[in-house]
Amino acid sequence: MHGNYFEPELECASREVLHYIQSKKLVKMVHLAYNNVPLYKKRFDEIGLQPGDIKSIDDISKLPFTYKDDLRDNYPFGMFAVPKEQLVRIHASSGTTGKQTVVGYTRHDIDVWARSAARSIVAVGGTKSDYVHVSYGYGLFTGGMGLHYGAEKLGATAIPVSTGNTKRQVQIMQDYGSDILCCTPSYAMYIGETVRDMGIDPKTLKLRAGIFGAEPWTEEMRREIERLLDIRAYDIYGLSEIAGPGVSCECQMQAGMHVNEDMFFPEIIDPETGKSLADGEFGELVFTCIGKEALPLIRYRTRDICTLNHETCECGRTLVRMGKPRGRTDDMLIIRGINVFPSQVESVLLELGMAPSYQLVIDRVNNLDCMEVQVEMTEDMFSDTVRSLESTEHKIANALQSTLNIAAKVRLLEPKSIPRSEGKAKRVIDKRNKG
């Protein structure tokens, strides 16, 4: 066993100990949900299930699924299992795909979340003496406050910069000596580009690690961020409905994200049949909030597609690892009957040495779906001849065809012509359902 841990007795617990903890928490949580959340009482009664039928974590497949629409249909507080007097905080999702999903936290829930985020910071090599530069958005979005409370729980120093004013962010990194950067990967790229454009050698920054999440990103993008900022880039996972960032995070092995499964129990299911899948099989990630009081979600369908791996990691942690989600069932595009994930396009572009700034424009022309991939030229390409640029477009189009099994038009754009995002990057413009 080697590595640093925040709570070693839990992060490195035997499977038997974890099974005991998970079972005890699940039984308690099922009674809480049944007795206090009308939706769960109704769902249980419909299938003839009593809370007493759940005796251990092995019984989890007997429980009904929870869907994002359940939170929307019970907006804002209908899924809460505690009186409002016990709530100490409210967060909400960005609401980009519909009505916001509202999340409530008791003091206990905030502590659970802070501990999981603290574990994440320690897993990437963070210590009490570090300055943690939090460039996720603060407010109703869970990103900023999740890592902020995690840093404070660890005893590190949180710098609550939030998003925006990127040159000032870089100045703060220089002046304050930020050690760990927390933001979306697309914003990390933008910060890296800004460092370069300001003529700063990234080696002169104290920054050594980055914790990036809230949107899908590829291994190629990881390498590009690491090159631009001269750091190690780590993936973190969370979603508002479960807690926020810190549900899982990579360790220094960068070999999958350790799920804090004593708090959030994961499963992988076949999205069509709902049946559980074995380790290594791609399927939909499902979470049960066994550690929470205010919003005890049961078998919540995240729509993220990934795998699980229960082997003990080289870092010594026994906590199950989830692979990087390769897309979501709801961000999957279906173009002429073929499933396309934006992350597949990103992989192709970065493998060919293109800038990671791109957009997919999907349209329907003469009843036929078509996809245009708009990608920024790198600075050194900008002076190339028209023939050379056309050749690059053909090369990208051919690589996309072989990866996606679908033809796409490729259009090269001037550097910096695609809007930069300080939060989640907007990668897809789908015109098919408009007008």
Side-chain angles (χ1 to χ4, degrees):
M1 184 189 295
H2 61 85
N4 300 317
Y5 315 102
F6 181 64
E7 295 176 305
E9 69 287 356
L10 292 165
E11 295 172 69
C12 304
S14 68
R15 294 310 309 173
E16 293 74 24
V17 168
L18 282 170
H19 184 277
Y20 172 79
I21 292 169
Q22 290 164 344
S23 297
K24 192 174 174 185
K25 287 186 174 182
L26 178 68
V27 168
K28 181 180 176 184
M29 181 267 222
V30 162
H31 281 84
L32 175 74
Y34 182 83
N35 292 326
N36 295 283
V37 182
L39 174 85
Y40 284 130
K41 184 174 191 314
K42 180 169 174 282
R43 289 262 166 93
F44 278 45
D45 291 348
E46 282 171 353
I47 58 175
L49 185 71
Q50 291 295 312
D53 297 334
I54 306 301
K55 295 180 170 59
S56 83
I57 200 75
D58 301 329
D59 295 324
I60 198 156
S61 59
K62 296 177 182 176
L63 294 165
F65 291 116
T66 310
Y67 301 85
K68 192 159 201 166
D69 281 346
D70 293 329
L71 287 138
R72 292 189 180 129
D73 293 345
N74 290 278
Y75 175 90
F77 306 139
M79 296 288 287
F80 291 178
V82 298
K84 65 180 183 180
E85 292 77 19
Q86 290 182 29
L87 298 175
V88 297
R89 195 189 305 166
I90 298 281
H91 276 290
S93 70
S94 54
T96 50
T97 55
K99 190 180 275 188
Q100 286 187 318
T101 51
V102 181
V103 188
Y105 301 80
T106 63
R107 195 166 298 287
H108 164 83
D109 295 340
I110 292 292
D111 185 64
V112 163
W113 184 16
R115 283 169 48 217
S116 66
R119 288 182 192 178
S120 302
I121 295 168
V122 173
V124 308
T127 68
K128 290 181 178 181
S129 58
D130 282 329
Y131 279 62
V132 181
H133 187 111
V134 184
S135 295
Y136 284 108
Y138 281 67
L140 284 176
F141 174 62
T142 54
M145 296 196 66
L147 272 305
H148 181 112
Y149 270 61
E152 290 185 351
K153 189 75 176 175
L154 169 61
T157 304
I159 310 176
V161 192
S162 196
T163 58
N165 203 339
T166 307
K167 286 186 177 177
R168 180 169 164 267
Q169 300 250 3
V170 176
Q171 185 80 51
I172 287 170
M173 286 178 194
Q174 287 182 303
D175 295 348
Y176 297 8
S178 309
D179 298 286
I180 298 171
L181 171 64
C182 307
C183 61
T184 61
S186 51
Y187 193 45
M189 282 291 310
Y190 188 29
I191 291 173
E193 290 171 357
T194 304
V195 167
R196 180 193 64 204
D197 295 347
M198 289 170 73
I200 297 166
D201 180 352
K203 287 184 169 55
T204 63
L205 298 175
K206 198 159 171 274
L207 211 60
R208 70 174 190 278
I211 300 176
F212 307 127
E215 63 186 8
W217 54 306
T218 58
E219 287 301 315
E220 292 80 12
M221 192 165 180
R222 185 207 299 268
R223 289 195 288 272
E224 187 64 11
I225 291 170
E226 289 184 336
R227 184 187 68 78
L228 275 172
L229 286 169
D230 191 41
I231 60 171
R232 294 261 287 167
Y234 298 96
D235 207 350
I236 192 169
Y237 178 89
L239 60 172
S240 302
E241 303 91 306
I242 304 303
V247 171
S248 69
C249 187
E250 285 182 323
C251 65
Q252 290 178 286
M253 302 296 119
Q254 293 179 320
M257 291 176 272
H258 290 280
V259 180
N260 288 306
E261 56 176 314
D262 57 316
M263 306 170 180
F264 319 106
F265 184 79
E267 302 170 80
I268 294 288
I269 63 162
D270 181 317
E272 301 298 324
T273 66
K275 298 291 182 198
S276 294
L277 298 176
D279 273 17
E281 290 191 71
F282 275 97
E284 182 178 354
L285 180 63
V286 171
F287 273 112
T288 300
C289 301
I290 55 174
K292 287 176 65 183
E293 295 174 337
L295 190 66
L297 292 183
I298 294 174
R299 303 192 83 198
Y300 181 74
R301 301 201 39 172
T302 68
R303 304 180 186 174
D304 285 317
I305 304 295
C306 69
T307 58
L308 290 181
N309 175 6
H310 282 85
E311 292 175 10
T312 299
C313 181
E314 282 183 55
C315 73
R317 287 175 179 81
T318 51
L319 295 174
V320 63
R321 283 170 285 164
M322 57 178 273
K324 184 185 278 289
R326 71 174 186 188
R328 289 169 60 86
T329 55
D330 60 354
D331 79 19
M332 181 179 76
L333 299 162
I334 301 177
I335 301 168
R336 282 177 251 155
I338 293 173
N339 297 344
V340 175
F341 289 102
S343 56
Q344 292 174 296
V345 175
E346 184 177 295
S347 283
V348 170
L349 295 176
L350 288 168
E351 277 171 15
L352 293 173
M354 299 303 299
S357 298
Y358 67 94
Q359 277 189 329
L360 312 183
V361 181
I362 319 298
D363 210 342
R364 185 165 287 139
V365 179
N366 298 326
N367 295 317
L368 189 67
D369 291 342
C370 53
M371 178 169 76
E372 179 176 275
V373 179
Q374 300 177 349
V375 57
E376 287 183 7
M377 290 179 267
T378 54
E379 293 286 352
D380 53 337
M381 288 169 60
F382 197 42
S383 56
D384 286 356
T385 63
V386 171
R387 181 172 292 177
S388 171
L389 295 177
E390 284 177 350
S391 165
T392 301
E393 286 178 341
H394 286 307
K395 188 163 89 174
I396 296 169
N398 289 337
L400 288 169
Q401 169 95 45
S402 90
T403 299
L404 306 174
N405 295 317
I406 188 170
K409 182 174 188 245
V410 175
R411 187 149 67 94
L412 292 175
L413 306 178
E414 292 181 20
K416 299 187 178 163
S417 56
I418 292 175
R420 296 300 191 262
S421 170
E422 293 162 359
K424 299 185 184 186
K426 184 168 174 57
R427 299 297 194 196
V428 179
I429 299 169
D430 196 338
K431 299 179 175 179
R432 289 176 295 184
N433 303 321
K434 293 175 183 170

